[in-house]
Structures are given as C-alpha cells and as structure tokens.
Amino acid sequence: MKKLQRLELLKDFIQEAVDRGATSVQAVHQYIADLPFEALEQTGLIDAEKSALRQKHRQTIGVVYDAIRRINRDIGQLISDQFENLEESKIAASRIAPAPAAPRPAPTPAAADRKPVAKKPVAKKAAAKKRAVRKPAAPPAD
C-alpha cells in the first residue's frame, strides 16, 4: 500500500474517532446537564411551563456538538482534497518528465581487446613525403 493511501486511511480513522467521540461526549453532557433540571422538577421549583428552558439547553448542547462534527467533516474533506492534489501532481510530473535516455550498447569483446591506433595529422604526412622525394645534393667539386 502506498504511503499516501496509508495516510488517507489514518485520516479517515481519526476523523471517525473524533465523530464518535463527539457523539459520546454529547450524550454524557446531555445527561449531566439534565440532572439539575430533574432535581428542580422533583422539588417543584420548575413547573411544566418552565421546562422549555430544559429543551433550549438541550438544543444549545446539540448545536455545539453538531458544529464540532461539521468542522471535523470539513477538515477531513480539506485533507482528502490535498491528498488528491498530491496524487494528481505526481501523475502530471511523471507525464511531463523527459523520457530516460536509451542506454548505449556495450562494446563487443573483439573491439574491447583492440588498442586504439593514433592517427597522425595530415600536414605531417605531407611534409614527410616531400622530404623523401628530394634528390640528394650534388657532391662537391674538387
């Protein structure tokens, strides 16, 4: 599995954990927030008309945890988009990159055993021919 895929799976795992955690904490928060309302109702200090306050409190708690879950989803989507951009940029870079040069063929064994022959420049050969063609000088007269 590619590194980017593992990171995306990890992101999904964390995102799911945050979502479930927010839901669990919301349930505990609702339970704890209801305790004073229940106590006040049992003592008769809050009647049925004023129980709307309890409902408003529950709604407020719900809005807060819904916002946490929404932000979690938005961040998860943002990270997923960035992973997608990375994958697309890798694909684009591989398509744009120049093709590797073809390897040169290895020399044949016979060619590798031969020693290179040094060539003399043409001008030196021509000068050597002129010297060879010259006639010897006449012997001195007595």
Side-chain angles (χ1 to χ4, degrees):
M1 183 179 290
K2 293 180 182 178
K3 187 176 184 177
L4 212 50
Q5 289 173 330
R6 286 190 302 229
L7 286 173
E8 182 131 25
L9 285 174
L10 178 62
K11 185 266 319 169
D12 290 343
F13 177 76
I14 292 169
Q15 188 177 354
E16 185 65 27
V18 168
D19 190 71
R20 287 182 180 175
T23 301
S24 297
V25 171
Q26 179 182 3
V28 171
H29 192 164
Q30 290 283 17
Y31 176 78
I32 293 170
D34 279 346
L35 292 176
F37 287 106
E38 287 179 17
L40 290 172
E41 284 176 355
Q42 288 176 358
T43 60
L45 294 174
I46 293 183
D47 57 6
E49 284 181 22
K50 294 183 181 175
S51 66
L53 182 60
R54 182 183 204 176
Q55 186 59 31
K56 284 284 186 193
H57 192 258
R58 282 182 169 210
Q59 287 175 345
T60 303
I61 292 171
V63 167
V64 169
Y65 288 96
D66 286 345
I68 291 170
R69 285 188 286 274
R70 182 179 35 81
I71 290 167
N72 181 45
R73 279 191 307 271
D74 291 348
I75 290 171
Q77 185 60 49
L78 176 69
I79 293 170
S80 292
D81 291 346
Q82 294 308 311
F83 284 145
E84 187 176 326
N85 288 341
L86 280 172
E87 288 173 350
E88 288 175 359
S89 68
K90 284 182 181 180
I91 291 169
S94 69
R95 290 182 180 165
I96 293 173
R104 291 185 175 190
T108 59
D113 291 341
R114 286 185 277 167
K115 292 182 181 179
V117 177
K119 295 182 179 179
K120 294 182 180 179
V122 176
K124 288 183 180 179
K125 283 184 182 179
K129 282 183 180 179
K130 283 182 182 179
R131 280 183 289 220
V133 173
R134 262 192 236 163
K135 293 181 183 178
D142 292 47

